[in-house]
Amino acid sequence: MKDILKAPFVREMMDTTANMYRLGWDERNGGNISYLLDEKEVAEYLDVNKVIREIPTGFVAKSLVGKIFIVTGTGKYFKNVEKDPETNLGIIRIKEDATTAQLLWGYKDGGRFTSELPAHLMSHMARLKVDPENRVVMHSHPTYTLAMNYVHELDEKKFTHTLWEMCTECIVVFPDGIGVLPWMLCGTNSIGEATAKKMEEFRLVVWGMHGIYGAGKTMDEAFGLIETVEKAAQIYMLTAHLPRVNTIKEEEMVSLAELFKVNYRKDFLDMFNNK
C-alpha cells in the first residue's frame, strides 16, 4: 500500500483547510468539508474492506450507499489538520443500510465526522443529480460574506445581483447565482434538507447569519466559488456606506456572460424582468 498521508486527496484536504483557517474563514472548529472519492484511488492507500468502526449518520442516504468520502471531524480545528490529519480527518463509506458510516481511516482519537454531515450528504445527493462530477461540498464562515448578511436584504435575486455588481468576474464565476436561507438551527436534518433543495439550483448557498456552502467538481472549484463571493462581499462592505459613483451595469454583465459562454440567471437581472 502507498502512504495514505501522501494521497492527493489527503494532501488537498490538508492544504485547503490550512488555507481556509489562514484566511479567517474557519475560526476555532468552525467549517467543514466533505469530498467524494474514487474507490479505486482509495484502494491504492487503504484496505477498503477493513472497517475500523461504524458510526450512525442520522438519516437515510440510499443513493450514496457504497460511496467513500473524506470528511473533516467534529470539534476539530482546521489549523490542526495539516500537522495531524489522521486525528482531524476521516475516510468513511456509506454502509448498505444507508444510515451508517463505516470508518476506514482517521478520527484516531475516537472522534467522528462533522455534525453537519447530514447537510453535506444531502447536498452531495442533490448536486450529483444535477452534475455527476460534483464531488466537493465546503462550508465556512467568511468574514465579509457573514457581515453582509446583517446589512443586506436576504433575498436570492437581490443578494446575487449586488455581488455581481462588485467584481467583473462574479457573473462568470457564479452565473447560477446564490441561494439564500434564513437563520436556521445548524446540525439538524431540517437545515440539511433546506440546503439540499437549494443545491438543486445553486452551487452556493448562504446560511443567514451563519456562513456559506459551496459545491464543485474539485476542491479548487468549491474554494474558488466561496473565495470570489467573499471578495465581492468585502468590496460591498467597504463601499456600502459611501455614495455609489460607478457600478457594473447589467448590459455589461450580459456582455461578460455571453463572452465566456456561461448560462447565467436572466431572472436575476432587471433588464429581462422589466420587458
Side-chain angles (χ1 to χ4, degrees), residues 34 36 57 59-65 67 69 94 98-99 117-137 192-193 195-202 213 215:
S34 60
L36 174 59
T57 62
F59 84 109
V60 180
K62 288 184 179 179
S63 64
L64 297 179
V65 167
K67 300 291 187 184
F69 298 86
I94 305 302
T99 64
L117 183 69
H120 277 256
L121 296 186
M122 290 179 201
S123 291
H124 278 289
M125 292 164 68
R127 288 308 307 169
L128 288 169
K129 288 180 182 177
V130 176
D131 185 344
E133 294 186 10
N134 270 203
R135 300 170 61 196
V136 177
V137 172
E193 291 162 359
T195 306
K197 185 66 178 174
K198 293 293 184 185
M199 284 282 182
E200 294 174 4
E201 292 184 66
F202 306 100
Y213 260 65

Side-chain angles (χ1 to χ4, degrees), residues 161-162 165-166 235-236 239-248:
H161 196 288
T162 294
E165 290 177 337
M166 294 300 109
I235 294 170
Y236 173 78
T239 60
H241 62 292
L242 301 171
R244 179 75 68 89
V245 176
N246 301 301
T247 195
I248 300 173

